[in-house]
Amino acid sequence: MVSIILIVISTTIAAIILFATITLNVNEAFMPIHNIRFESSSVIVYRSNYGATTDYGIVVRQEKEIIKGVLLVKNLLRKDHVYDISVKKLGDNAVELMGKKIYLKRNVYFP
């Protein structure tokens, strides 16, 4: 009888964990909101929301896919207490973020 009760409890806990894993949206805490593509990389603006006790923030990254599934990432800007920002592509190697001009390297970290 004790074994049956333990099996029912274990199965219930496993079902709850499985349901939470299947319905979880991976992008809820770090959601991409703007994507500007360049020849060799992309500038992506993410909205961060880490839960009920924190405010929204913005993280801007330059990302380059080296091989499928592997990104080389450089953080360009991070602002807390901001919901959205203005982003403009200025040319082949520059973007304007909140009125500030940022020049991008072709290979992110390499010269």
Side-chain angles (χ1 to χ4, degrees):
M1 191 64 171
V2 172
S3 297
I4 293 173
I5 292 172
L6 290 176
I7 289 172
V8 169
I9 292 172
S10 300
T11 305
T12 305
I13 292 172
I16 291 170
I17 292 172
L18 181 63
F19 177 75
T21 303
I22 290 172
T23 60
L24 178 68
N25 185 356
V26 178
N27 291 330
E28 284 180 359
F30 210 64
M31 183 183 342
I33 55 175
H34 299 290
N35 188 352
I36 300 173
R37 298 202 183 272
F38 292 92
E39 283 183 33
S40 62
S41 63
S42 296
V43 172
I44 303 176
V45 179
Y46 293 96
R47 180 180 299 131
S48 61
N49 177 13
Y50 298 114
T53 60
T54 60
D55 198 5
Y56 284 104
I58 294 293
V59 178
V60 182
R61 293 178 165 180
Q62 180 183 3
E63 298 180 355
K64 179 178 182 172
E65 189 170 35
I66 299 172
I67 57 174
K68 185 73 172 164
V70 178
L71 291 176
L72 186 60
V73 176
K74 179 180 181 182
N75 290 330
L76 300 175
L77 177 74
R78 179 185 172 135
K79 289 278 189 185
D80 292 328
H81 311 294
V82 176
Y83 189 75
D84 199 1
I85 64 169
S86 61
V87 181
K88 239 193 309 189
K89 183 176 180 178
L90 297 178
D92 290 337
N93 67 342
V95 291
E96 184 178 325
L97 302 169
M98 299 177 67
K100 182 179 176 185
K101 192 172 186 179
I102 297 177
Y103 291 96
L104 306 172
K105 292 184 179 179
R106 178 177 170 86
N107 295 317
V108 183
Y109 278 108
F110 304 111

